[in-house]
Amino acid sequence: MSTDTSDLPSSKLGTKSHWDDVYANELSNFEEIGDEGEIWFGEDSIEKMVEWVQDYIPISPTPSILEIGSGNGTLLFAISQAGYDPTHIFGVDYSEDAIKLSRSIGVTRGEGSELIRFEVCDFLQDVPRGEDGQEEWDLVLDKGTFDAMALAEKDEHGRSPADGYPSRVGKVVKREGFFLIVSCNFTEDELKEKFANSETGLEYHSNIKFPSFAFGGHSGNVYSSIALRKP
Ligand SMILES: C[S@@+](CC[C@H](N)C(=O)[O-])C[C@H]1O[C@@H](n2cnc3c(N)ncnc32)[C@H](O)[C@@H]1O
């Protein structure tokens, strides 16, 4: 049975005030002791996502890269360190302190990380725009953001704000571009059902395998990840 975004019980992880508190705290820690904050899904997820990017996205011609819900920016810093042009890398998040934090980390890290652009944007309300006004990217990334959105409060008809997410994602992926998502709330099949359809214009391309667990005769993955392509 597939998990509908409306089936998930709402939780504080689906509220902006939760993420504002998280990043206010991470920002003050960074300013006080230089701690860059939590690596959501762990180092392993960053390594695996960067490996996927290196396998499928050529460094030249320079690809444009967007992360939706970029948090402290760790994934984008890793992609830039892998050789991708930081001036074409863009992170958006609806929490202002997340943006302040990622900008500060970029400046402190230097070596090009300071050239990555981070801007406040509520992706469910607004369209992220590149410096030259662009609205489509060669590669769009989501690490835990759809998961957070799917835990938001439903409206009086039981609809989740996250229901509109897949079609918004479809609009910001360029033709022949990719969308790569890692999730802890949805299985691979559920991600395929939500993102690979005529509404998004995306097709399933590949997956990233994460370690699996076995419990009570059932097995599954801790995280799921698929990549989709716009033909
Ligand atoms: C689980 S965290 C992951 C952060 C980051 N991707 C990482 O891996 O560290 C989810 C992120 O999504 C952001 N977020 C949630 N809803 C959003 C929305 N509607 N628009 C933009 N960002 C959003 C939160 O502020 C938070 O930074």
Side-chain angles (χ1 to χ4, degrees):
M1 204 187 81
S2 86
T3 309
D4 198 280
T5 35
S6 314
D7 294 339
L8 292 168
S10 55
S11 114
K12 65 177 187 169
L13 270 74
T15 64
K16 182 170 180 296
S17 61
H18 169 74
W19 294 108
D20 285 344
D21 288 349
V22 165
Y23 292 114
N25 196 29
E26 290 201 355
L27 182 61
S28 90
N29 284 342
F30 181 68
E31 284 165 354
E32 277 166 33
I33 55 168
D35 181 350
E36 293 187 358
E38 181 168 348
I39 300 189
W40 203 255
F41 302 159
E43 288 277 1
D44 188 41
S45 67
I46 305 256
E47 274 168 33
K48 285 186 163 29
M49 288 179 90
V50 172
E51 272 169 25
W52 183 95
V53 174
Q54 289 175 313
D55 284 347
Y56 295 106
I57 310 290
I59 283 184
S60 176
T62 305
S64 55
I65 300 175
L66 170 73
E67 183 182 6
I68 305 166
S70 48
N72 57 15
T74 319
L75 173 62
L76 295 183
F77 296 133
I79 289 176
S80 145
Q81 272 164 9
Y84 292 85
D85 182 346
T87 64
H88 286 65
I89 301 181
F90 186 28
V92 293
D93 202 290
Y94 71 174
S95 170
E96 281 177 25
D97 279 344
I99 295 305
K100 284 186 196 158
L101 174 65
S102 52
R103 285 180 185 161
S104 302
I105 295 174
V107 169
T108 305
R109 284 190 178 213
E111 296 179 340
S113 294
E114 74 281 13
L115 301 175
I116 298 175
R117 218 175 129 226
F118 292 100
E119 297 290 344
V120 175
C121 170
D122 180 340
F123 187 77
L124 293 177
Q125 304 290 332
D126 299 320
V127 179
R129 282 204 174 78
E131 230 152 348
D132 54 1
Q134 85 183 77
E135 293 180 7
E136 293 178 335
W137 279 264
D138 295 306
L139 173 63
V140 177
L141 301 158
D142 176 324
K143 182 159 80 72
T145 302
F146 183 49
D147 287 341
M149 289 173 177
L151 297 173
E153 198 87 42
K154 321 283 178 290
D155 68 14
E156 71 269 27
H157 307 292
R159 283 187 302 243
S160 164
D163 293 347
Y165 182 68
S167 66
R168 282 185 164 267
V169 168
K171 290 195 181 92
V172 297
V173 178
K174 256 190 207 168
R175 273 183 157 199
E176 299 188 8
F178 290 90
F179 173 55
L180 175 64
I181 176 165
V182 178
S183 161
C184 65
N185 279 342
F186 299 96
T187 65
E188 250 185 60
D189 284 344
E190 288 163 354
L191 291 175
K192 277 185 203 164
E193 190 189 312
K194 286 183 193 312
F195 290 97
N197 53 51
S198 56
E199 198 196 350
T200 61
L202 301 173
E203 289 178 354
Y204 174 76
H205 173 266
S206 52
N207 65 359
I208 297 178
K209 282 273 168 239
F210 282 95
S212 57
F213 65 89
F215 183 75
H218 297 280
S219 66
N221 287 330
V222 183
Y223 306 123
S224 314
S225 177
I226 62 167
L228 301 106
R229 186 157 205 240
K230 192 184 264 191

